[in-house]
Amino acid sequence: MSGLSRTTVSTAATAATAEQMIAEARKAFFVMFGFLAVVWALQLANWGSDYDLARRYAVVAGEVDRLPGMLTAPFLHLSWAHIESNSGPLFVFGFLAAYRGVARFFGLTALVAVASGLAIWFFEHDGVGTVGASGLVFGYFGYVVLRGFFDRHLIDSLVGVVMGASYAYTLTLTVPGTPGISWLAHLGGLVGGVIGAWVFRDRRVPTGATPVAAAPAVPDSGPAGHPRADLHKELRDLGLL
């Protein structure tokens, strides 16, 4: 195959990858928009029932019949201030968690909800009920920070570093001491997100691991195994090269 042909094939593949990423980002945006719409609709119903939904469908420590609350509690809140404080981080980290694949995101959400709920059920004071999406927020945070490391995606690694540095102060809410805050829900969600980064990691062969003869080198990426080859691939996928 001539150099021109290889370049043409590479350009077409890069364009297809960029279009796929844009499509996934668009889906992630609408998924999170719908997610928040459901959460706010439930808040209206919750408020209208004098927060009876929050009392009935919370995770209650030590009560077996309240274990299903693990899947309902993240959608319920105790006040308008509560839902407002969670909505922004939930959308931002949820979008970042979902843009690499919506199906993977739903699996991650279930894993984080269960991890957060179990932490409450096992370790919270008996009879204490907990609701709120903050466990999901911390789960998405842990996933976004570590996903690039496990997937070996340099762009995702950079995103993780930036978000980790920007929101590192939130980790103070995973330790005891803040009145009215379920640090166990936060810690459980964070652990679930870290586990999710490993469970839902990209298992494709990393760039540079395939023998040179099996995949012709692209002129602007350098030889296979070049220290910047992965970065060049990520930038091409985003349409920046």
Side-chain angles (χ1 to χ4, degrees), residues 13-38:
T14 299
T17 302
E19 289 178 3
Q20 182 180 6
M21 291 178 65
I22 292 171
E24 288 294 341
R26 187 181 298 114
K27 285 193 292 184
F29 175 85
F30 286 112
V31 164
M32 290 311 303
F33 183 86
F35 194 108
L36 281 179
V38 170

Side-chain angles (χ1 to χ4, degrees), residues 1-228:
M1 182 181 293
S2 67
L4 179 60
S5 298
R6 288 198 299 270
T7 302
T8 302
V9 171
S10 174
T11 301
T14 299
T17 302
E19 289 178 3
Q20 182 180 6
M21 291 178 65
I22 292 171
E24 288 294 341
R26 187 181 298 114
K27 285 193 292 184
F29 175 85
F30 286 112
V31 164
M32 290 311 303
F33 183 86
F35 194 108
L36 281 179
V38 170
V39 169
W40 278 82
L42 287 173
Q43 173 62 11
L44 281 171
N46 199 17
W47 173 74
S49 68
D50 195 25
Y51 293 96
D52 182 58
L53 291 177
R55 291 189 291 270
R56 291 170 57 189
Y57 297 103
V59 179
V60 180
E63 297 187 11
V64 175
D65 60 339
R66 303 300 293 272
L67 276 172
M70 292 186 297
L71 301 179
T72 56
F75 294 88
L76 300 169
H77 294 81
L78 293 173
S79 68
W80 292 105
H82 189 196
I83 190 173
E84 287 169 4
S85 65
N86 279 338
S87 293
L90 181 64
F91 185 88
V92 171
F93 286 111
F95 172 80
L96 291 174
Y99 92 96
R100 282 291 189 184
V102 170
R104 186 186 305 184
F105 168 76
F106 286 129
L108 171 70
T109 299
L111 174 60
V112 169
V114 170
S116 179
L118 287 177
I120 297 166
W121 195 85
F122 277 109
F123 302 112
E124 187 59 87
H125 297 298
D126 288 345
V128 174
T130 303
V131 296
S134 53
L136 291 181
V137 171
F138 275 78
Y140 297 154
F141 171 77
Y143 175 76
V144 168
V145 168
L146 290 179
R147 174 181 57 193
F149 174 77
F150 289 129
D151 285 357
R152 300 183 184 181
H153 287 156
L154 295 187
I155 296 299
D156 285 353
S157 296
L158 293 175
V159 170
V161 169
V162 171
M163 299 308 291
S166 300
Y167 290 88
Y169 68 92
T170 62
L171 295 178
T172 60
L173 298 178
T174 64
V175 296
T178 305
I181 299 295
S182 178
W183 67 274
L184 286 167
H186 297 170
L187 181 60
L190 182 64
V191 170
V194 171
I195 294 173
W198 169 256
V199 172
F200 298 107
R201 68 191 184 279
D202 190 345
R203 291 174 171 81
R204 292 176 300 178
V205 178
T207 304
T210 305
V212 177
V218 178
D220 63 352
S221 66
H226 191 281
R228 292 189 297 273

